[in-house]
Amino acid sequence: MHDAYEAVPILEKLPLQIESISCYDNNLLVGTKQGHLLMYCITPQQGEQRFTVRLLKSNKHFSKRPIVQMEIVPELQILVSLSDTVVSIHDLQVFNLITTVNKTRGASVFTLDVQSHASLSGNVSTTLRMCAAVRRKLQLYYWKNRNFHELQIDLGVPDIPKCMVWCGDSVCVGFKTEYFLIKTETGSLKELFPIGKNEPRVTKLDDKRLALGKDEMTIFIDFEGNATQKFALTWSDMPITLEYDSPYLLGVLPRYVEIRTVESRSLIQSIGLSKPRFITSSRTGGVKSIYVASASHVWSLLPLPISEQIKQLVEQKQFELALELAERSDDPEVLRKERIHHIQTLFAFNLFYQHRFKESMDLFIQLETDPSHVIGLFPDLLPPDYRNQLEYPDKLPDLTGPDLENGFISLIEYLTQIRMKLVTDMTKQVQLQTLPTDGSSASVKLSQRQQLQIIDTTLLKCYLQTNDALIAPLLRLRDNHCHLDESERILKKYQKFSELIILYQRKNLHKRALDMLLKQAMKPDSALKGHERTVQYLQHLGREHLSLIFEFSTWVLKVNPEDGLKIFTEDLPEVEGLPRERVLAYLQQNGQDLIIPYLEHVVHEWKDKTVHLHNTLVHHYRQRVQALMADYKDSLPEGQEALAAGREPGDLGELHRKLIALLETSTHYLPQAVLVHFPFDAFFEERAILLGRLGRHEQALAIYTYVICDLAKAEL
């Protein structure tokens, strides 16, 4: 609770019994049971005497009966009143009777609908409609030429109306037992709900809503009769009448005036008064005057300064109401915005303290709060020395278990949205608001890269706590900005070595990654055991990291030469782009047995036309065949001749066929360069092919005809 109004006596111990009140500008009209009409001028003053009260006019002969209802239309300078069961209209300045609507005799209540319309030229015109309840009929009138005229035929209703208000093209009517919404054009009735034990009461709010009473409750509906709030507002006692002063609803109860909010239905203040019965208000120049009356006393409910109310509300952590008032303040625009931002910031942190994480994060996004202040709300996400420098409105809650996990989930959503905004323009400098702890605003400028580093590192930590399957996708982002040292530390702590490899890879720390892979490959219980991940990593490095590829290929070639060869032959752009001459030289030093399969892939799969590579493949075929041929001949029984070239068993026959095929089909080796390495006492078919390539056809034919006796090839 806080003090929103102060009750200041205006009239005390009036000798006449008050029956109705109404006001406009600084004027208060009092209608009495004796039929007297009094008009007072209420002038605000400084100092202890808050008001000067002066009787402007009195009319003892206004009516012979009690003045039970009065409505002022300042725009038309008229007073509409109900007395002696008939509606009369008087001039507001001199109280002269303008007209009496005789047809309304027998009326129990009336309601006015005043509408102002601005023309294109800026002129403002006012239209006035009246609905009067006469027994079981509603009479509809419009004001023209200083008189009320019938708008349409009377509408029949099921009972005598007790209260009613206009609402658009309908009238909301409270009967003895229930409320109805009645369309004025058709007379159709929409039943709303029963009244309860108390008298009906209907109050029109400023924002096209109605407040309907049911015993101690007030139910809010729109002009179509639909409920606008899930829960009703409950008063401490049955209200006699209500008045709306946004954001407050004032209820006149038998012993006091109770002030509550409409949205939250919270009790704001109770003002003790002696038997209050009536309440009225008017607004002049943005200032609202509210008067409450008993049978003999009148009080002014003076709103406390908004700044004072806001201060009380902030101290009581009623931030939503404080924001409503701040929006309505008359402060200069800059000061008003600063105050609203300050309250919203405190509200966002308070929502967090209440574990309303989602709402808190949504508000932080709206306020563009420095992400480091938001991250600092959680334990172990920022370095302790940095977190200790941050200031917060209250002691941070100790989050554990499900609360901490729910907080992390909301933080992840918050950081993801902030990240999306930041990555759109990496060069832009943005000004983020830090937490104002003293009511003033402060700011810090951070580059978006700095912010992204904080955000990505925090996301990594949150994923470790909530869903570690999201770590790898985060680290694989091309624009990943995780802080290296902190991320390395936390990943090692949780033994997330696969993810650590991704981090190194994205940071171009390939040697660290490969050292880690080598270390983990030797551990039998590691998820990275074996050589497969090293092979994959090396395959994607590319020619600019050739020295690293050679350095870490060596151990793979030793443990698994076949998979090691894939480092240099996989069909990937990075692998195909490696300098093949240097790879060949490396294999000659570290993997002699892999030279032939490597060159076969280069020549046949990648269609490489480099002469040196073709020459080298011919030489290695020849050397291998020559070695296997010696063993083959030694294994033959005495007197048995060797089979023809390419028909030998096993690897010898296969290599021999490959050699002959290469010599026959390739046009990218130098015959004269390779011929000199072929001995004269062997490789006759190979020599014949090479001699033919050199144009030495007679020598080639001699070999086909007399040495290998293959006339078919000689004819070719």
Side-chain angles (χ1 to χ4, degrees), residues 538 546-558 564 567-568 579-592 594-595:
L538 293 173
L546 189 61
S547 59
L548 273 179
I549 295 174
F550 289 160
E551 179 182 351
F552 286 93
S553 295
T554 304
W555 76 267
V556 180
L557 291 172
K558 289 179 180 178
I567 297 170
F568 306 103
R580 292 160 193 175
E581 299 277 4
R582 294 185 63 184
V583 173
L584 177 60
Y586 168 77
L587 291 177
Q588 287 172 337
Q589 296 292 324
N590 298 277
Q592 280 283 336
L594 299 175
I595 292 175

Side-chain angles (χ1 to χ4, degrees), residues 614-624 673-674 677-678:
H614 282 252
N615 286 352
T616 304
L617 182 55
V618 171
H619 288 316
H620 278 272
Y621 275 151
R622 177 189 54 75
Q623 289 173 351
R624 185 67 178 142
V674 299
H677 296 287
F678 283 84

Side-chain angles (χ1 to χ4, degrees), residues 180-200:
F180 281 87
L181 202 61
I182 302 173
K183 289 286 186 182
T184 56
E185 292 183 359
T186 63
S188 61
L189 283 73
K190 180 178 181 179
E191 186 176 350
L192 299 178
F193 53 85
I195 298 294
K197 295 176 289 185
N198 202 11
E199 287 288 312

Side-chain angles (χ1 to χ4, degrees), residues 478-588:
R478 299 183 68 88
D479 54 1
N480 157 43
H481 291 81
C482 286
H483 186 274
L484 176 61
D485 294 341
E486 182 67 10
S487 301
E488 184 181 43
R489 181 190 68 79
I490 197 74
L491 288 171
K492 285 182 177 179
K493 176 182 176 182
Y494 285 89
Q495 298 187 355
K496 296 293 183 181
F497 298 112
S498 294
E499 291 80 358
L500 183 56
I501 298 303
I502 299 172
L503 175 67
Y504 288 149
Q505 189 174 25
R506 282 297 180 207
K507 300 294 183 183
N508 291 320
L509 299 171
H510 302 301
K511 191 171 189 314
R512 282 201 206 180
L514 291 164
D515 283 332
M516 177 64 68
L517 284 170
L518 176 57
K519 183 178 179 181
Q520 293 298 313
M522 305 306 172
K523 295 182 177 181
D525 58 343
S526 172
L528 297 174
K529 68 179 180 179
H531 60 275
E532 290 82 2
R533 282 294 298 273
T534 298
V535 171
Q536 294 171 11
Y537 197 101
L538 293 173
Q539 287 172 339
H540 289 86
L541 283 181
R543 65 186 302 149
E544 62 269 25
H545 300 289
L546 189 61
S547 59
L548 273 179
I549 295 174
F550 289 160
E551 179 182 351
F552 286 93
S553 295
T554 304
W555 76 267
V556 180
L557 291 172
K558 289 179 180 178
V559 299
N560 194 312
E562 184 178 348
D563 285 351
L565 180 61
K566 293 178 181 178
I567 297 170
F568 306 103
T569 59
E570 193 70 22
D571 288 329
L572 293 169
E574 297 90 345
V575 175
E576 193 171 348
L578 295 177
R580 292 160 193 175
E581 299 277 4
R582 294 185 63 184
V583 173
L584 177 60
Y586 168 77
L587 291 177
Q588 287 172 337

Side-chain angles (χ1 to χ4, degrees), residues 52 70 108 185 245 251 278 379 417 464 552 570 586 598 713:
T52 297
M70 292 189 300
S108 56
E185 292 183 359
D245 183 21
F278 313 103
Q417 292 188 52
L464 281 165
F552 286 93
E570 193 70 22
Y586 168 77
Y598 172 69
K713 289 187 177 179

Side-chain angles (χ1 to χ4, degrees), residues 177-225:
T177 58
E178 56 191 331
Y179 291 105
F180 281 87
L181 202 61
I182 302 173
K183 289 286 186 182
T184 56
E185 292 183 359
T186 63
S188 61
L189 283 73
K190 180 178 181 179
E191 186 176 350
L192 299 178
F193 53 85
I195 298 294
K197 295 176 289 185
N198 202 11
E199 287 288 312
R201 58 186 180 275
V202 182
T203 304
K204 184 177 180 179
L205 308 184
D206 289 345
D207 47 4
K208 296 188 178 299
R209 288 185 296 173
L210 302 176
L212 279 61
K214 183 176 182 180
D215 297 331
E216 293 89 358
M217 296 187 299
T218 293
I219 298 168
F220 300 98
I221 65 170
D222 60 21
F223 284 6
E224 300 299 321

Side-chain angles (χ1 to χ4, degrees), residues 108-109 111 131-133 135-138 140 155-167 170-184 188-195 200-203 210 212-213 221:
S108 56
V109 65
T111 180
C131 178
R135 301 179 183 87
R136 294 174 181 261
K137 290 185 180 293
L138 297 183
L140 301 171
L155 302 177
V157 291
D159 200 352
I160 298 175
K162 298 281 188 178
C163 63
M164 58 184 183
V165 296
W166 278 95
C167 48
S170 302
V171 178
C172 185
V173 182
F175 297 105
K176 184 177 181 180
T177 58
E178 56 191 331
Y179 291 105
F180 281 87
L181 202 61
I182 302 173
K183 289 286 186 182
T184 56
S188 61
L189 283 73
K190 180 178 181 179
E191 186 176 350
L192 299 178
F193 53 85
I195 298 294
R201 58 186 180 275
V202 182
T203 304
L210 302 176
L212 279 61
I221 65 170

